Amino acid sequence: MDIKHEVARSLLSIEAVFLRPQEPFTWASGIKSPIYCDNRLILTAPEARDLVERAIAETVRREYPQAQVLMGTATAGIAHAAIAAHLLGLPMGYVRSSSKDHGRQNRIEGKLVPGQKVVVVEDLISTGGSVLDAVDALREAGAEVLGVVSIFTYGMKKGVERLAAAQVRNVSLTDLDTVASTGAQEGYITEADVARLLAFRENPSDESWIRAESQV
């Protein structure tokens, strides 16, 4: 089993990724979704945590061998960046969603020297907004951002295009396509549900995938 399927299987087993096409979740944006992802649950599941953190470390080693610092996104990426950096013997820090309103008013926490080669660790990418904000802050501080390692990505067109436009490379441990196929193999959802998940991914604002369920 490759690492994408192994991570997908692990996330499904601890319900960090939850598939519910018959009873959609509502995101903060109002979008109806057949899938919900809460990778914070990885931290409370030691076996899954070990798998994910080692996979992040190995991905950095393989894809970004020049990495000098790991930077987590606030708040969900911080713990994953810390553990992976420990495994790699690298320094780490994190990027706040906004600057502190006191003290030194830091946006970036941890020592960062201009010119250092940085990899950003993110738990989840949908439209790419939060990770791109972190990349922008690091670039403004003089870092050379080699790219991103994320645990899960939806692979939405908007997110893919925004990352490409900003010239940001992302390598995800797993993605919606892999989770959907693994979910069907493991009996979490049916093969018909896989098509609905992929239809949602292609156009999240189009809710026809919900009506398709009732026609099956």
Side-chain angles (χ1 to χ4, degrees):
M1 184 182 293
D2 67 27
I3 193 65
K4 277 193 171 186
H5 286 90
E6 203 173 343
V7 171
R9 189 177 183 181
S10 184
L11 297 184
L12 285 164
S13 71
I14 64 170
E15 297 185 346
V17 173
F18 203 93
L19 304 176
R20 203 171 68 186
Q22 282 73 28
E23 192 182 344
F25 300 94
T26 302
W27 288 359
S29 61
I31 287 175
K32 296 281 193 297
S33 171
I35 179 171
Y36 189 78
C37 183
D38 181 4
N39 284 332
R40 292 171 181 83
L41 290 171
I42 294 167
L43 300 172
T44 53
E47 282 189 26
R49 186 180 65 211
D50 185 62
L51 171 67
V52 166
E53 310 308 349
R54 290 183 185 280
I56 292 172
E58 181 54 38
T59 302
V60 172
R61 218 181 263 122
R62 183 185 68 247
E63 303 291 338
Y64 307 109
Q66 294 177 299
Q68 295 173 305
V69 185
L70 298 192
M71 282 283 169
T73 55
T75 57
I78 297 173
H80 300 297
I83 297 170
H86 175 72
L87 293 173
L88 291 164
L90 290 176
M92 70 76 63
Y94 65 93
V95 184
R96 292 177 173 273
S97 54
S98 59
S99 299
K100 284 197 297 190
D101 59 4
H102 59 281
R104 298 173 66 187
Q105 300 183 327
N106 293 345
R107 174 89 193 271
I108 297 167
E109 299 291 2
K111 186 176 181 180
L112 179 67
V113 178
Q116 277 189 310
K117 295 176 171 62
V118 174
V119 173
V120 177
V121 177
E122 172 69 291
D123 79 316
L124 168 70
I125 293 181
S126 53
T127 61
S130 61
V131 75
L132 287 175
D133 282 347
V135 169
D136 286 345
L138 289 163
R139 284 174 170 170
E140 285 172 17
E144 180 185 342
V145 179
L146 299 178
V148 178
V149 176
S150 56
I151 298 171
F152 176 83
T153 182
Y154 286 95
M156 292 176 181
K157 184 180 179 184
K158 183 177 182 181
V160 171
E161 289 178 346
R162 287 175 78 178
L163 288 168
Q167 296 185 305
V168 175
R169 181 178 181 228
N170 170 56
V171 181
S172 276
L173 302 189
T174 194
D175 50 41
L176 187 144
D177 297 64
T178 306
V179 164
S181 63
T182 303
Q185 289 165 11
E186 299 284 323
Y188 291 93
I189 55 173
T190 66
E191 287 294 341
D193 290 330
V194 173
R196 291 183 205 111
L197 281 159
L198 298 183
F200 162 78
R201 194 273 315 280
E202 288 304 309
N203 188 357
S205 61
D206 180 357
E207 296 184 358
S208 61
W209 66 268
I210 300 174
R211 294 189 292 278
E213 187 275 332
S214 62
Q215 294 165 11
V216 173

